Amino acid sequence: YSLLDKQKLQQDVKKIQDIYLQTGRFLAKIEPKIIKRKSNRVDLIFEISEGKKAKIGAIHFNGNKFFSDAQLKDEITTKKSKWYKFLASSDFYDKNRIAFDSEKLRRFYANHGFIDFEAISSIAQIDRLKQKFTIDFLVKENTRYKTGKISIANHIDKFDENLLKDAISLKT
């Protein structure tokens, strides 16, 4: 048992609200109800109205020149909400998924020669009805590098350089 503390109660309401926010439920309402009992005791009930999850209304990329928005959208896990995707979970806002998508973009660009690529920011803005998000990724592609001439400097006598050449997957 513990003492009823209004400040702790508000902190608990905030924690519950944060959990719902992390799952994309921006309209969730948490209302604590206090029911007085005998012997100076109370029952505490949190009445929760979850509300709908905020969906993804649009995804934009800024700073991309080499790859189109459509190509980059194929590389990330977050997807725009569509009416026929009622069982999907990738079309709801999730800040952790957005961070993961920034890393996926970095890897995608690195695999295509953009070693200095930067995912500068990912900004999520919710509409005034708190139902749909617009996600903006700000990227900086920088220079694309290509493999030039590949050579092996061998200073070991009687060592077959072709063994090393066959092991290297990079091509000119």
Side-chain angles (χ1 to χ4, degrees), residues 113-131:
F114 292 91
I115 307 303
D116 300 327
F117 169 83
E118 296 175 67
I120 296 172
S121 67
S122 53
I123 300 168
Q125 294 180 333
I126 194 163
D127 67 2
R128 62 181 180 81
L129 299 176
K130 295 188 177 184
Q131 293 178 345

Side-chain angles (χ1 to χ4, degrees), residues 21-24 92-101 122 124:
L21 288 174
Q22 288 175 357
T23 62
F92 294 110
Y93 174 74
D94 179 344
K95 71 177 182 177
N96 294 325
R97 187 182 317 118
I98 304 293
F100 177 69
D101 286 339
S122 53

Side-chain angles (χ1 to χ4, degrees), residues 4-106:
L4 180 63
D5 180 336
K6 297 277 186 181
Q7 186 176 1
K8 281 185 180 180
L9 179 60
Q10 289 306 315
Q11 289 172 350
D12 289 344
V13 168
K14 173 85 170 89
K15 286 178 187 176
I16 295 169
Q17 184 76 42
D18 288 345
I19 291 168
Y20 277 96
L21 288 174
Q22 288 175 357
T23 62
R25 294 186 187 273
F26 286 80
L27 295 174
K29 291 182 178 32
I30 294 91
E31 191 172 330
K33 303 281 185 181
I34 299 171
I35 301 169
K36 293 182 180 181
R37 300 288 183 201
K38 294 179 185 175
S39 302
N40 207 22
R41 294 179 184 263
V42 296
D43 288 341
L44 178 59
I45 299 170
F46 290 100
E47 195 172 280
I48 301 172
S49 172
E50 291 183 334
K52 291 184 178 181
K53 284 187 174 185
K55 297 189 176 215
I56 306 297
I59 301 171
H60 303 288
F61 297 90
N62 299 300
N64 54 313
K65 295 177 183 80
F66 193 83
F67 295 106
S68 70
D69 284 13
Q71 288 172 299
L72 296 179
K73 285 177 187 176
D74 286 344
E75 296 302 318
I76 62 174
T77 56
T78 302
K79 303 297 179 196
K80 181 181 174 186
S81 297
K82 308 255 189 208
W83 68 269
Y84 55 85
K85 289 184 175 181
F86 57 91
L87 293 177
S89 64
S90 61
D91 64 341
F92 294 110
Y93 174 74
D94 179 344
K95 71 177 182 177
N96 294 325
R97 187 182 317 118
I98 304 293
F100 177 69
D101 286 339
S102 291
E103 177 60 19
K104 283 194 74 161
L105 287 171
R106 189 196 63 74

